[in-house]
Amino acid sequence: MSLSQLARAIAESPTLSLNEQARLLRERGEAVVHLGAGEPKNRAPINAILNSAARLSSGDVKYTPTEGILSLRKAILRYTEENYGRVVAPENVLVSAGAKQALYNLLFTLLNPQDEVIILAPFWVSYPEIVKMVYGIPVIVTPEDGRFVPRMSEIEQAVTSYTKAIIVNSPNNPSGVIYPESLVAELVEFCEQRGIYLIMDDIYQKLVFDGKMHTPAYRFTTKDPETTRVLVINGISKLYGMTGFRIGWVVAPREIIQVMTNVQAQTTSCVSPLLQAAAEGALTGIQSVVETLRLTLENNRNVMLQELRGFTGITVHPPDGTYYCLPDFRAYGGDSVALSSFLLKKALVVTVPGKEFGIEGYLRLSYATTVKEIKQGIERIKWALDPESPNEIYIGDRKLLRDWL
Ligand code: PMP
């Protein structure tokens, strides 16, 4: 069949396809442990549900302004003021169907064909693909072995006259690392000086542990909201565990927002008012839900680290935040795709291969699940990988066989 070469070159989303595989296995009755998920088990916050339900019962479900309902954008302004210490106008905000679409629309708006976008490994799987989808060129900067954060000098070396933007995600998916304040400050100064856009994906901003704080670049810039090169991507998916509500946003100079609005107007018109109402409910409602989620995640992270501690050959950098940790599994072979698919087949545990995040030999393990699943999942992985362990174990009434040796 004749299809676009560009579209065919876009990789399948490995995380979404793993979710699908896990779902199919579960449907077949298999006792799958899902350590691959990028979403927690919580219910949506009550204020989100009530606000959305009220909008639905009103029967007023029509197109909204493309850039988003004003009251939602005002709630985003308040969020920006509280969490970044910056006062911006409604014209600096555009609401999209998730941070993913926000990023796509932003890159579509910023890039000319062949422009380069610097992506720091380990990176969220979608960055390189989205850059390619808008005819840009992803340039990956990989920190030296054993580090999850590149040095400023390594980033500078990757900059050319074609560099349009640098994407930074901190706290980071997949490593859980918060980028050091000094690096964030250097990046802001460098980008403002050189006229390079610094796209900060702050989606895990508040889900941080051990009393640490995320350092938002938007707070560091001395430029005003109309001239700054620091652009913010954020949303409710991770903050409130509201992944299915598909609301994300961009904070940027109004010149960028105006063009992005045209791009969005010609593609999606607007995000559903029901989902916008839910987002507004979450942002203006009881905020203790975020702290409850954060505490659950911190506890889960501790359980996962505890379980991994006794695991021969594995090293893990304790995550500062997010839903994930990224242990080094190179002692069990360098091919993370093969390792991950082996673990799914033999131990029925979903993990995400590090290769997808630009860091081969590692596996991303999500602790956005139950303590029981975390314990069971790590126990099964240990069993599957330890040549000394018994050849079979029972999970419920299902026998797992380590017949790969
Ligand atoms: N950025 C990062 C770093 C993410 O991990 C994700 C979701 N996995 C997104 C953006 C997309 O979020 P949304 O659900 O709002 O599209």
Side-chain angles (χ1 to χ4, degrees), residues 23 27 32 56 64 71 137 147 164 175 188 191 196 220 256 260 278 299 303 307 332 351 361 367 389 401:
R23 195 184 61 77
E27 259 177 29
V32 176
L56 181 59
T64 75
S71 52
I137 299 178
R147 286 171 51 94
K164 197 54 161 301
S175 70
V188 171
C191 288
I196 295 170
F220 280 56
I256 294 178
M260 273 188 81
N299 180 54
V303 171
E307 297 299 307
Y332 295 93
T351 58
Y367 40 83
S389 63
L401 278 176

PDB file of all heavy atoms in Angstrom, residues 23 27 32 56 64 71 137 147 164 175 188 191 196 220 256 260 278 299 303 307 332 351 361 367 389 401:
ATOM      1  N   ARG A  23      -2.755  -6.199  28.671  1.00  0.00           N
ATOM      2  CA  ARG A  23      -4.215  -6.294  28.726  1.00  0.00           C
ATOM      3  C   ARG A  23      -4.687  -7.610  28.093  1.00  0.00           C
ATOM      4  O   ARG A  23      -5.518  -8.323  28.643  1.00  0.00           O
ATOM      5  CB  ARG A  23      -4.840  -5.101  28.001  1.00  0.00           C
ATOM      6  CG  ARG A  23      -6.328  -4.893  28.282  1.00  0.00           C
ATOM      7  CD  ARG A  23      -6.907  -3.763  27.453  1.00  0.00           C
ATOM      8  NE  ARG A  23      -6.812  -3.987  26.018  1.00  0.00           N
ATOM      9  CZ  ARG A  23      -7.595  -4.803  25.319  1.00  0.00           C
ATOM     10  NH1 ARG A  23      -8.552  -5.462  25.912  1.00  0.00           N
ATOM     11  NH2 ARG A  23      -7.426  -4.951  24.013  1.00  0.00           N
ATOM     12  N   GLU A  27      -6.611 -10.649  29.865  1.00  0.00           N
ATOM     13  CA  GLU A  27      -7.907 -11.121  29.358  1.00  0.00           C
ATOM     14  C   GLU A  27      -7.916 -12.636  29.199  1.00  0.00           C
ATOM     15  O   GLU A  27      -8.932 -13.284  29.362  1.00  0.00           O
ATOM     16  CB  GLU A  27      -8.198 -10.466  28.010  1.00  0.00           C
ATOM     17  CG  GLU A  27      -9.164  -9.307  28.133  1.00  0.00           C
ATOM     18  CD  GLU A  27      -9.396  -8.607  26.807  1.00  0.00           C
ATOM     19  OE1 GLU A  27      -9.300  -9.258  25.734  1.00  0.00           O
ATOM     20  OE2 GLU A  27      -9.645  -7.410  26.858  1.00  0.00           O
ATOM     21  N   VAL A  32      -0.645 -11.376  35.120  1.00  0.00           N
ATOM     22  CA  VAL A  32       0.418 -10.451  34.727  1.00  0.00           C
ATOM     23  C   VAL A  32       0.669  -9.418  35.818  1.00  0.00           C
ATOM     24  O   VAL A  32      -0.265  -8.886  36.404  1.00  0.00           O
ATOM     25  CB  VAL A  32       0.009  -9.704  33.430  1.00  0.00           C
ATOM     26  CG1 VAL A  32       1.042  -8.661  33.054  1.00  0.00           C
ATOM     27  CG2 VAL A  32      -0.179 -10.689  32.300  1.00  0.00           C
ATOM     28  N   LEU A  56     -21.685  18.167  32.065  1.00  0.00           N
ATOM     29  CA  LEU A  56     -22.442  17.207  31.252  1.00  0.00           C
ATOM     30  C   LEU A  56     -23.938  17.362  31.504  1.00  0.00           C
ATOM     31  O   LEU A  56     -24.730  17.436  30.554  1.00  0.00           O
ATOM     32  CB  LEU A  56     -21.976  15.775  31.573  1.00  0.00           C
ATOM     33  CG  LEU A  56     -22.649  14.647  30.805  1.00  0.00           C
ATOM     34  CD1 LEU A  56     -22.453  14.810  29.300  1.00  0.00           C
ATOM     35  CD2 LEU A  56     -22.096  13.289  31.234  1.00  0.00           C
ATOM     36  N   THR A  64     -15.458  24.786  22.362  1.00  0.00           N
ATOM     37  CA  THR A  64     -15.003  25.871  23.249  1.00  0.00           C
ATOM     38  C   THR A  64     -13.980  26.680  22.453  1.00  0.00           C
ATOM     39  O   THR A  64     -13.605  26.275  21.349  1.00  0.00           O
ATOM     40  CB  THR A  64     -14.313  25.311  24.513  1.00  0.00           C
ATOM     41  OG1 THR A  64     -12.998  24.835  24.154  1.00  0.00           O
ATOM     42  CG2 THR A  64     -15.109  24.185  25.147  1.00  0.00           C
ATOM     43  N   SER A  71     -11.921  30.083  32.081  1.00  0.00           N
ATOM     44  CA  SER A  71     -11.794  29.789  33.524  1.00  0.00           C
ATOM     45  C   SER A  71     -10.738  28.703  33.768  1.00  0.00           C
ATOM     46  O   SER A  71     -10.035  28.730  34.790  1.00  0.00           O
ATOM     47  CB  SER A  71     -13.149  29.386  34.113  1.00  0.00           C
ATOM     48  OG  SER A  71     -13.703  28.352  33.350  1.00  0.00           O
ATOM     49  N   ILE A 137      15.032  17.228  13.288  1.00  0.00           N
ATOM     50  CA  ILE A 137      16.043  16.188  13.496  1.00  0.00           C
ATOM     51  C   ILE A 137      16.360  16.107  14.990  1.00  0.00           C
ATOM     52  O   ILE A 137      16.841  17.073  15.588  1.00  0.00           O
ATOM     53  CB  ILE A 137      17.332  16.513  12.712  1.00  0.00           C
ATOM     54  CG1 ILE A 137      16.981  16.565  11.226  1.00  0.00           C
ATOM     55  CG2 ILE A 137      18.425  15.497  12.999  1.00  0.00           C
ATOM     56  CD1 ILE A 137      18.132  16.924  10.337  1.00  0.00           C
ATOM     57  N   ARG A 147      25.753   7.855  34.404  1.00  0.00           N
ATOM     58  CA  ARG A 147      25.083   9.096  34.821  1.00  0.00           C
ATOM     59  C   ARG A 147      23.747   9.237  34.088  1.00  0.00           C
ATOM     60  O   ARG A 147      23.603   8.803  32.956  1.00  0.00           O
ATOM     61  CB  ARG A 147      25.956  10.303  34.457  1.00  0.00           C
ATOM     62  CG  ARG A 147      27.171  10.475  35.361  1.00  0.00           C
ATOM     63  CD  ARG A 147      28.081  11.554  34.800  1.00  0.00           C
ATOM     64  NE  ARG A 147      27.342  12.784  34.509  1.00  0.00           N
ATOM     65  CZ  ARG A 147      27.222  13.804  35.343  1.00  0.00           C
ATOM     66  NH1 ARG A 147      27.784  13.759  36.509  1.00  0.00           N
ATOM     67  NH2 ARG A 147      26.552  14.873  35.006  1.00  0.00           N
ATOM     68  N   LYS A 164      17.264  24.402  17.290  1.00  0.00           N
ATOM     69  CA  LYS A 164      16.107  25.260  17.529  1.00  0.00           C
ATOM     70  C   LYS A 164      15.656  25.191  18.977  1.00  0.00           C
ATOM     71  O   LYS A 164      15.177  26.164  19.534  1.00  0.00           O
ATOM     72  CB  LYS A 164      14.966  24.798  16.612  1.00  0.00           C
ATOM     73  CG  LYS A 164      13.818  25.744  16.398  1.00  0.00           C
ATOM     74  CD  LYS A 164      14.277  27.092  15.926  1.00  0.00           C
ATOM     75  CE  LYS A 164      13.339  28.015  15.257  1.00  0.00           C
ATOM     76  NZ  LYS A 164      12.676  27.650  14.073  1.00  0.00           N
ATOM     77  N   SER A 175      14.256   8.039  34.423  1.00  0.00           N
ATOM     78  CA  SER A 175      15.231   7.793  35.496  1.00  0.00           C
ATOM     79  C   SER A 175      14.730   8.208  36.875  1.00  0.00           C
ATOM     80  O   SER A 175      15.261   7.766  37.881  1.00  0.00           O
ATOM     81  CB  SER A 175      16.528   8.543  35.194  1.00  0.00           C
ATOM     82  OG  SER A 175      16.330   9.937  35.337  1.00  0.00           O
ATOM     83  N   VAL A 188      19.170  27.739  31.275  1.00  0.00           N
ATOM     84  CA  VAL A 188      18.318  28.906  31.041  1.00  0.00           C
ATOM     85  C   VAL A 188      19.164  30.051  30.489  1.00  0.00           C
ATOM     86  O   VAL A 188      18.820  30.664  29.466  1.00  0.00           O
ATOM     87  CB  VAL A 188      17.606  29.343  32.349  1.00  0.00           C
ATOM     88  CG1 VAL A 188      16.903  30.682  32.167  1.00  0.00           C
ATOM     89  CG2 VAL A 188      16.600  28.283  32.786  1.00  0.00           C
ATOM     90  N   CYS A 191      20.347  29.299  26.859  1.00  0.00           N
ATOM     91  CA  CYS A 191      19.285  29.348  25.847  1.00  0.00           C
ATOM     92  C   CYS A 191      18.790  30.786  25.628  1.00  0.00           C
ATOM     93  O   CYS A 191      18.544  31.180  24.489  1.00  0.00           O
ATOM     94  CB  CYS A 191      18.132  28.427  26.240  1.00  0.00           C
ATOM     95  SG  CYS A 191      18.567  26.708  26.051  1.00  0.00           S
ATOM     96  N   ILE A 196      17.850  29.986  21.803  1.00  0.00           N
ATOM     97  CA  ILE A 196      17.390  28.592  21.602  1.00  0.00           C
ATOM     98  C   ILE A 196      16.224  28.355  22.562  1.00  0.00           C
ATOM     99  O   ILE A 196      16.285  28.762  23.731  1.00  0.00           O
ATOM    100  CB  ILE A 196      18.548  27.608  21.898  1.00  0.00           C
ATOM    101  CG1 ILE A 196      19.670  27.810  20.866  1.00  0.00           C
ATOM    102  CG2 ILE A 196      18.069  26.170  21.929  1.00  0.00           C
ATOM    103  CD1 ILE A 196      20.947  27.065  21.189  1.00  0.00           C
ATOM    104  N   PHE A 220      13.656  30.669  36.768  1.00  0.00           N
ATOM    105  CA  PHE A 220      15.038  31.152  36.694  1.00  0.00           C
ATOM    106  C   PHE A 220      15.250  32.273  35.688  1.00  0.00           C
ATOM    107  O   PHE A 220      16.228  32.995  35.766  1.00  0.00           O
ATOM    108  CB  PHE A 220      15.972  30.000  36.300  1.00  0.00           C
ATOM    109  CG  PHE A 220      16.319  29.100  37.432  1.00  0.00           C
ATOM    110  CD1 PHE A 220      15.326  28.484  38.169  1.00  0.00           C
ATOM    111  CD2 PHE A 220      17.630  28.858  37.764  1.00  0.00           C
ATOM    112  CE1 PHE A 220      15.628  27.644  39.208  1.00  0.00           C
ATOM    113  CE2 PHE A 220      17.954  28.010  38.801  1.00  0.00           C
ATOM    114  CZ  PHE A 220      16.957  27.401  39.526  1.00  0.00           C
ATOM    115  N   ILE A 256       3.827  32.871  20.137  1.00  0.00           N
ATOM    116  CA  ILE A 256       3.864  31.412  19.908  1.00  0.00           C
ATOM    117  C   ILE A 256       2.470  30.829  20.101  1.00  0.00           C
ATOM    118  O   ILE A 256       1.987  30.020  19.306  1.00  0.00           O
ATOM    119  CB  ILE A 256       4.876  30.744  20.877  1.00  0.00           C
ATOM    120  CG1 ILE A 256       6.294  31.210  20.530  1.00  0.00           C
ATOM    121  CG2 ILE A 256       4.762  29.232  20.843  1.00  0.00           C
ATOM    122  CD1 ILE A 256       7.376  30.649  21.444  1.00  0.00           C
ATOM    123  N   MET A 260       0.229  28.562  17.576  1.00  0.00           N
ATOM    124  CA  MET A 260      -0.183  27.225  18.047  1.00  0.00           C
ATOM    125  C   MET A 260      -1.698  27.082  18.020  1.00  0.00           C
ATOM    126  O   MET A 260      -2.229  26.009  17.737  1.00  0.00           O
ATOM    127  CB  MET A 260       0.271  27.030  19.499  1.00  0.00           C
ATOM    128  CG  MET A 260       1.666  26.507  19.655  1.00  0.00           C
ATOM    129  SD  MET A 260       1.977  26.099  21.383  1.00  0.00           S
ATOM    130  CE  MET A 260       1.223  24.497  21.525  1.00  0.00           C
ATOM    131  N   ALA A 278     -13.271  18.983  33.942  1.00  0.00           N
ATOM    132  CA  ALA A 278     -12.641  18.095  34.927  1.00  0.00           C
ATOM    133  C   ALA A 278     -11.292  18.657  35.362  1.00  0.00           C
ATOM    134  O   ALA A 278     -10.959  18.681  36.556  1.00  0.00           O
ATOM    135  CB  ALA A 278     -12.463  16.705  34.325  1.00  0.00           C
ATOM    136  N   ASN A 299       6.172   5.917  49.089  1.00  0.00           N
ATOM    137  CA  ASN A 299       6.179   4.638  49.801  1.00  0.00           C
ATOM    138  C   ASN A 299       6.453   3.486  48.827  1.00  0.00           C
ATOM    139  O   ASN A 299       7.273   2.607  49.094  1.00  0.00           O
ATOM    140  CB  ASN A 299       4.834   4.458  50.510  1.00  0.00           C
ATOM    141  CG  ASN A 299       4.783   3.155  51.270  1.00  0.00           C
ATOM    142  OD1 ASN A 299       5.662   2.881  52.090  1.00  0.00           O
ATOM    143  ND2 ASN A 299       3.816   2.308  50.978  1.00  0.00           N
ATOM    144  N   VAL A 303       9.502   0.720  48.722  1.00  0.00           N
ATOM    145  CA  VAL A 303       9.315  -0.739  48.676  1.00  0.00           C
ATOM    146  C   VAL A 303      10.118  -1.306  47.499  1.00  0.00           C
ATOM    147  O   VAL A 303      10.835  -2.303  47.644  1.00  0.00           O
ATOM    148  CB  VAL A 303       7.813  -1.086  48.521  1.00  0.00           C
ATOM    149  CG1 VAL A 303       7.611  -2.571  48.257  1.00  0.00           C
ATOM    150  CG2 VAL A 303       7.032  -0.646  49.755  1.00  0.00           C
ATOM    151  N   GLU A 307      13.168  -4.003  47.678  1.00  0.00           N
ATOM    152  CA  GLU A 307      13.121  -5.290  46.971  1.00  0.00           C
ATOM    153  C   GLU A 307      14.321  -5.461  46.044  1.00  0.00           C
ATOM    154  O   GLU A 307      14.822  -6.552  45.847  1.00  0.00           O
ATOM    155  CB  GLU A 307      11.832  -5.412  46.143  1.00  0.00           C
ATOM    156  CG  GLU A 307      10.560  -5.413  46.944  1.00  0.00           C
ATOM    157  CD  GLU A 307      10.481  -6.570  47.922  1.00  0.00           C
ATOM    158  OE1 GLU A 307      10.665  -7.719  47.479  1.00  0.00           O
ATOM    159  OE2 GLU A 307      10.254  -6.321  49.125  1.00  0.00           O
ATOM    160  N   TYR A 332      22.821  -8.865  33.276  1.00  0.00           N
ATOM    161  CA  TYR A 332      21.992  -9.943  32.715  1.00  0.00           C
ATOM    162  C   TYR A 332      21.896  -9.838  31.188  1.00  0.00           C
ATOM    163  O   TYR A 332      20.901 -10.214  30.590  1.00  0.00           O
ATOM    164  CB  TYR A 332      20.610  -9.928  33.375  1.00  0.00           C
ATOM    165  CG  TYR A 332      20.714 -10.246  34.851  1.00  0.00           C
ATOM    166  CD1 TYR A 332      20.832  -9.225  35.784  1.00  0.00           C
ATOM    167  CD2 TYR A 332      20.776 -11.563  35.290  1.00  0.00           C
ATOM    168  CE1 TYR A 332      20.981  -9.507  37.128  1.00  0.00           C
ATOM    169  CE2 TYR A 332      20.926 -11.854  36.633  1.00  0.00           C
ATOM    170  CZ  TYR A 332      21.030 -10.825  37.555  1.00  0.00           C
ATOM    171  OH  TYR A 332      21.190 -11.124  38.873  1.00  0.00           O
ATOM    172  N   THR A 351       7.927  -4.934  31.877  1.00  0.00           N
ATOM    173  CA  THR A 351       8.948  -3.910  32.146  1.00  0.00           C
ATOM    174  C   THR A 351       9.145  -3.167  30.828  1.00  0.00           C
ATOM    175  O   THR A 351       8.715  -3.654  29.788  1.00  0.00           O
ATOM    176  CB  THR A 351      10.288  -4.560  32.542  1.00  0.00           C
ATOM    177  OG1 THR A 351      10.690  -5.427  31.460  1.00  0.00           O
ATOM    178  CG2 THR A 351      10.186  -5.361  33.822  1.00  0.00           C
ATOM    179  N   GLY A 361      20.522  -1.644  28.084  1.00  0.00           N
ATOM    180  CA  GLY A 361      20.992  -2.455  29.210  1.00  0.00           C
ATOM    181  C   GLY A 361      20.230  -2.205  30.502  1.00  0.00           C
ATOM    182  O   GLY A 361      20.391  -2.922  31.480  1.00  0.00           O
ATOM    183  N   TYR A 367       6.630   2.033  39.686  1.00  0.00           N
ATOM    184  CA  TYR A 367       6.043   1.705  40.999  1.00  0.00           C
ATOM    185  C   TYR A 367       4.692   2.398  41.175  1.00  0.00           C
ATOM    186  O   TYR A 367       4.201   2.536  42.297  1.00  0.00           O
ATOM    187  CB  TYR A 367       7.005   2.025  42.150  1.00  0.00           C
ATOM    188  CG  TYR A 367       7.779   3.300  42.001  1.00  0.00           C
ATOM    189  CD1 TYR A 367       7.212   4.523  42.361  1.00  0.00           C
ATOM    190  CD2 TYR A 367       9.057   3.304  41.470  1.00  0.00           C
ATOM    191  CE1 TYR A 367       7.915   5.703  42.206  1.00  0.00           C
ATOM    192  CE2 TYR A 367       9.771   4.479  41.308  1.00  0.00           C
ATOM    193  CZ  TYR A 367       9.194   5.671  41.670  1.00  0.00           C
ATOM    194  OH  TYR A 367       9.875   6.842  41.499  1.00  0.00           O
ATOM    195  N   SER A 389      17.945 -20.282  41.339  1.00  0.00           N
ATOM    196  CA  SER A 389      16.590 -20.404  41.897  1.00  0.00           C
ATOM    197  C   SER A 389      15.909 -21.675  41.391  1.00  0.00           C
ATOM    198  O   SER A 389      16.298 -22.215  40.359  1.00  0.00           O
ATOM    199  CB  SER A 389      15.765 -19.172  41.528  1.00  0.00           C
ATOM    200  OG  SER A 389      15.612 -19.101  40.142  1.00  0.00           O
ATOM    201  N   LEU A 401       7.570 -21.811  34.693  1.00  0.00           N
ATOM    202  CA  LEU A 401       8.716 -22.677  34.491  1.00  0.00           C
ATOM    203  C   LEU A 401       9.895 -21.896  33.966  1.00  0.00           C
ATOM    204  O   LEU A 401       9.757 -21.145  33.010  1.00  0.00           O
ATOM    205  CB  LEU A 401       8.363 -23.757  33.455  1.00  0.00           C
ATOM    206  CG  LEU A 401       7.594 -24.967  33.942  1.00  0.00           C
ATOM    207  CD1 LEU A 401       7.272 -25.856  32.766  1.00  0.00           C
ATOM    208  CD2 LEU A 401       8.387 -25.716  34.989  1.00  0.00           C
TER     209      LEU A 401
END
